[in-house]
Amino acid sequence: MLVPFDKFSGCLLGQCLGDALGQPVEGFPSDECLDYLHRQVMPLWHDKQVQAAHPFGQYTDDSQMARELLVSLVTYPEFNADDYIARLKPLFEEGLAIVPGLACVDAMRRIAAGVPWQEAGCLPPQAGNGSAMRAAPVGMLFYETPEQMLQIARKQGWITHRDLRCDAGSIAVAGAVALALQGRVEASYFCEQLAEWMTEVEGEFATYVRRLPEFVSLRPEDAVEWIAQAGKPVGYDDSWSGISPFVVGTVLWSLYCFLRTPGDYYASVWTSIAVGGDVDTTGAITGAISGAFNGRSSLPTHLLEMLHDHGGWRLDELEDLCSRAYTKSMAL
């Protein structure tokens, strides 16, 4: 099945946009996120003449790492960990990574100190969302070869995270993008397929995904009560308001936000941010899945033209990368 380029490019651009929209309020509580959405995002989305109260367009390490993964996957026939690490090093060693997670920082420090990448990833019980947040490009490229998709989704995550819940989260995000590209987003089927892919890796996480359709009809303020606590061990640090960086809640919330309004990128990303917490990541993951389903044409061009990474990697370069990836995907 050949998907339209519009949907293909919508995935990466949708991730970067959702990430950039969430970045100014990462870690904020819900009331402040809602105020930001109403006062800044709503007018900025609908009117290209509006001046943002804060500089808009810089996306975070979520999309920086996803982008570099896509560059590496386009360059090599298979996942090449050494190449991917070489592309990540400048982000961390030169201080270019935007608000990076501690697990990723620690793993990259160990690699820089000479620890083999196979041993550098943070061990259980650390189960942050750093590997899942960058997994969307795997679904972009390998949406028709699920076995390969599942293997690469896991391998790319091992560089920084070694908990099986992180493996399962990466599979869920890559798989969600693959299904969205193919238009297969009816909630029961969508979640059952993701759970099937996840089960052999981490059964409890898969069970939560399988239950998710029960909650899609609930209002966000009701659904978040279950999702934010799903899978958290006794004694988990709950200092985050809303959705914490714990991988289970992050992925479940992102899937919920997409499935609640699958045909509306704006509504899905709005919901992902409104809850508060790690909203650059929920915005990025939700944006990638929704962008893959709704396409680049669903995204406001005036906002896409504001995207950048330290002044570089703007829209033209991102679209060129998508074009190269699209060409490779047709050859797989």
Side-chain angles (χ1 to χ4, degrees), residues 21-41:
L21 288 169
Q23 185 267 338
V25 287
E26 181 195 11
F28 286 36
S30 177
D31 58 344
E32 294 185 46
C33 289
L34 281 167
D35 181 72
Y36 158 77
L37 287 167
H38 284 287
R39 291 180 179 271
Q40 297 186 49
V41 172

Side-chain angles (χ1 to χ4, degrees), residues 46 58 105 113 264 284 297:
H46 295 292
Q58 172 70 61
V105 170
D264 190 336
S297 56

Side-chain angles (χ1 to χ4, degrees), residues 61 92 97-102 104-105:
D61 66 318
F92 291 87
I98 302 295
V99 290
L102 293 178
C104 293
V105 170

Side-chain angles (χ1 to χ4, degrees), residues 168 192 194-204 206-207 210:
E192 181 60 36
L194 294 182
E196 183 179 322
W197 284 330
M198 298 164 69
T199 293
E200 291 187 12
V201 174
E202 221 290 326
E204 183 181 7
T207 298
R210 192 172 272 116

Side-chain angles (χ1 to χ4, degrees), residues 83-271:
D83 178 75
Y84 183 40
I85 290 166
R87 296 178 188 280
L88 294 180
K89 279 185 175 180
L91 293 176
F92 291 87
E93 294 178 0
E94 298 174 23
L96 298 175
I98 302 295
V99 290
L102 293 178
C104 293
V105 170
D106 288 345
M108 293 304 295
R109 282 177 180 163
R110 286 190 283 272
I111 289 171
V115 176
W117 71 264
Q118 295 90 338
E119 303 171 15
C122 292
L123 297 173
Q126 292 191 60
N129 55 29
S131 58
M133 72 188 188
R134 60 184 193 253
V138 182
M140 284 174 66
L141 278 174
F142 302 102
Y143 65 92
E144 284 201 302
T145 54
E147 183 174 336
Q148 195 174 15
M149 177 184 72
L150 303 184
Q151 291 175 351
I152 295 174
R154 295 186 69 185
K155 286 181 180 179
Q156 65 82 26
W158 292 342
I159 294 169
T160 56
H161 295 74
R162 300 297 300 208
D163 193 294
L164 290 177
R165 292 168 293 185
C166 300
D167 286 20
S170 299
I171 287 171
V173 173
V177 165
L179 294 174
L181 284 172
Q182 298 172 78
R184 300 159 69 187
V185 300
E186 189 278 320
S188 295
Y189 170 81
F190 185 87
C191 292
E192 181 60 36
Q193 180 60 81
L194 294 182
E196 183 179 322
W197 284 330
M198 298 164 69
T199 293
E200 291 187 12
V201 174
E202 221 290 326
E204 183 181 7
F205 196 168
T207 298
Y208 286 120
V209 170
R210 192 172 272 116
R211 286 192 60 194
L212 192 58
E214 301 173 27
F215 296 87
V216 169
S217 62
L218 297 182
R219 298 178 306 166
E221 55 266 36
D222 296 326
V224 73
E225 293 184 13
W226 176 73
I227 290 174
Q229 298 303 317
K232 283 184 178 177
V234 176
Y236 184 85
D237 178 9
D238 261 335
S239 59
W240 280 72
S241 173
I243 299 296
S244 77
F246 180 51
V247 67
V248 176
T250 296
V251 171
L252 288 174
W253 186 250
S254 301
L255 296 176
Y256 163 84
C257 293
F258 169 66
L259 291 172
R260 186 170 183 268
T261 51
D264 190 336
Y265 176 96
Y266 177 66
S268 292
V269 170
W270 177 288
T271 303

Side-chain angles (χ1 to χ4, degrees), residues 9-20 63 265 269 283-292 296 299 304 307:
S9 61
C11 179
L12 181 64
L13 296 177
Q15 163 147 1
C16 293
L17 181 57
D19 184 351
S63 300
Y265 176 96
V269 170
I285 296 174
T286 303
I289 301 167
S290 185
R296 182 247 190 264
L299 311 175
L304 296 179
L307 295 175

